[in-house]
Amino acid sequence: MSDIKHRRIQTNGIWMHIAEKGEGHDLVLLIHGFPELWSSWNYQVNSLAEHGYHVVAPDMRGYGDSDCPKDAASYTALHLVGDLVGLLDVLGEKQAFVVGHDWGAQVAWYLCLLRPDRVKALVNLGLPYLPRSPKIKPFASMKAKFGEGFYISQFQEPGRAEESFSKYDSLTILKKFLLINAPDLLSTPPGIEIIDFLETPSTLPHWITQEELEFCAEKFQKSGFTGALNYYRAMDMNWELLGAWQGARITVPTKYIVGDKDVGFQSFGTKDYIKGEAFRSLVPDLQVVVVVDGHHYIQLERAEQITKEIISFFSKK
């Protein structure tokens, strides 16, 4: 990571830390998810820079060395998109190629929905673009479908997850989530917290090192997890704010990539949804790639393959 430059920039009322490499004309913006940092894109930062791109990977609001407001109301789609638009302005770029993963993919969808003029093309990993229900807020819908034990249900109440997380050090928490070994639906039996339910793996897979995990753990030890959890707590607020975009389509050219072993690929209905007409009607300029035996943190697990998919798509735009 030593040849990657780091700085903090001021955007949308916060200070945001960014990792940056490359002198290319075209900017690639890499948006991480939960519970990750800019460093989850380390392979892509280096590889894309070598291919002639100017690459920027921020610690998103609430993470790492960026500011971490405590109030969940500071984590709406409008805040997150505002952060990225401000970042592009600071970089002096009218447009960027964008790659998102997990919550970063959701933020990238919001960016394309609200400011498509700032995005040349999009590659999103894991999370497809889902239509906004005109009647039911997200949490009520998820609670009805998946119950009180569903991890997002447990994340809603301020302080609940933080209290259960406090029994573990940050390194253990990251191992439980990043190296997840759990049923397709992340839901617990009654009375059990999700962090207690998840196993702590005894060995590491080939795609991540102890040093990388310890780097992230040190950052979360300082920042805590409230900022990261607030993304989930703002979901219903996003629903209220985005009513004016009901039925709107994503017009940006998009490649969507998902592993067929990703959490929720079956139980969330992702498998059937991405094959159907509804997804393509909402994202008309769309390519879909399903990675056989790919899991959730696919940009780490299949770093070379995913990077080739990104480059092959962006190089034609």
Side-chain angles (χ1 to χ4, degrees):
M1 300 181 190
S2 59
D3 58 344
I4 297 173
K5 298 177 182 178
H6 297 267
R7 57 179 167 136
R8 296 180 87 217
I9 61 99
Q10 199 163 14
T11 173
N12 196 30
I14 66 165
W15 285 94
M16 172 179 274
H17 163 254
I18 62 172
E20 188 173 18
K21 187 173 182 179
E23 305 292 335
H25 174 71
D26 290 320
L27 173 67
V28 178
L29 181 62
L30 304 172
I31 313 175
H32 71 78
F34 174 89
E36 301 172 285
L37 302 171
W38 75 265
S39 56
S40 67
W41 298 109
N42 189 56
Y43 183 94
Q44 286 77 23
V45 170
N46 287 298
S47 182
L48 289 166
E50 289 171 5
H51 281 81
Y53 292 98
H54 175 200
V55 190
V56 172
D59 281 335
M60 294 296 288
R61 172 186 291 248
Y63 284 87
D65 292 322
S66 293
D67 285 354
C68 302
K70 294 299 183 184
D71 188 353
S74 295
Y75 290 81
T76 72
L78 300 185
H79 290 85
L80 302 172
V81 170
D83 294 347
L84 298 179
V85 170
L87 171 58
L88 293 182
D89 290 343
V90 169
L91 296 171
E93 298 286 352
K94 292 182 178 179
Q95 286 191 314
F97 291 115
V98 176
V99 186
H101 170 253
D102 184 79
W103 255 108
Q106 182 63 63
V107 175
W109 291 126
Y110 288 147
L111 178 61
C112 292
L113 178 69
L114 302 178
R115 293 301 305 270
D117 58 306
R118 306 305 295 264
V119 184
K120 287 184 180 178
L122 170 69
V123 174
N124 255 351
L125 311 178
L127 187 71
Y129 183 64
L130 299 170
R132 175 186 181 274
S133 168
K135 296 181 179 179
I136 305 175
K137 293 184 179 182
F139 177 50
S141 175
M142 291 179 183
K143 185 177 178 181
K145 289 180 182 176
F146 305 122
E148 293 278 1
F150 188 48
Y151 76 104
I152 293 178
S153 298
Q154 294 193 7
F155 287 174
Q156 292 301 304
E157 181 185 340
R160 175 180 173 178
E162 289 91 334
E163 182 178 355
S164 65
F165 284 16
S166 68
K167 293 179 284 185
Y168 304 94
D169 58 64
S170 293
L171 182 61
T172 300
I173 294 168
L174 292 180
K175 284 182 176 180
K176 282 173 173 280
F177 280 110
L178 292 174
L179 313 178
I180 199 161
N181 180 19
D184 185 56
L185 178 63
L186 277 184
S187 188
T188 70
I192 299 177
E193 297 297 311
I194 190 70
I195 197 66
D196 299 325
F197 179 70
L198 295 174
E199 297 177 3
T200 306
S202 57
T203 59
L204 298 182
H206 67 88
W207 46 264
I208 199 164
T209 66
Q210 183 73 12
E211 181 183 11
E212 289 168 331
L213 284 169
E214 288 175 351
F215 171 83
C216 295
E218 181 182 351
K219 299 296 184 183
F220 278 104
Q221 199 67 37
K222 293 178 180 178
S223 68
F225 286 88
T226 296
L229 293 164
N230 279 342
Y231 284 64
Y232 296 93
R233 293 166 183 161
M235 290 170 67
D236 280 356
M237 284 182 271
N238 289 334
W239 183 89
E240 294 176 6
L241 290 169
L242 297 177
W245 287 268
Q246 181 69 39
R249 300 191 302 172
I250 300 296
T251 57
V252 172
T254 300
K255 176 182 277 190
Y256 170 72
I257 306 172
V258 65
D260 67 355
K261 299 295 192 298
D262 197 343
V263 174
F265 186 68
Q266 299 282 351
S267 58
F268 291 174
T270 304
K271 180 180 179 181
D272 293 331
Y273 175 69
I274 64 173
K275 291 181 179 179
E277 289 302 314
F279 189 24
R280 292 187 181 278
S281 69
L282 290 168
V283 190
D285 192 350
L286 176 69
Q287 295 181 26
V288 173
V289 177
V290 178
V291 178
V292 176
D293 291 328
H295 296 79
H296 185 63
Y297 296 97
I298 199 166
Q299 84 278 25
L300 294 165
E301 179 190 46
R302 301 290 184 87
E304 183 177 0
Q305 180 181 359
I306 296 304
T307 306
K308 286 180 178 178
E309 292 282 1
I310 293 168
I311 292 170
S312 69
F313 190 62
F314 289 164
S315 64
K316 299 173 183 177
K317 303 299 177 185

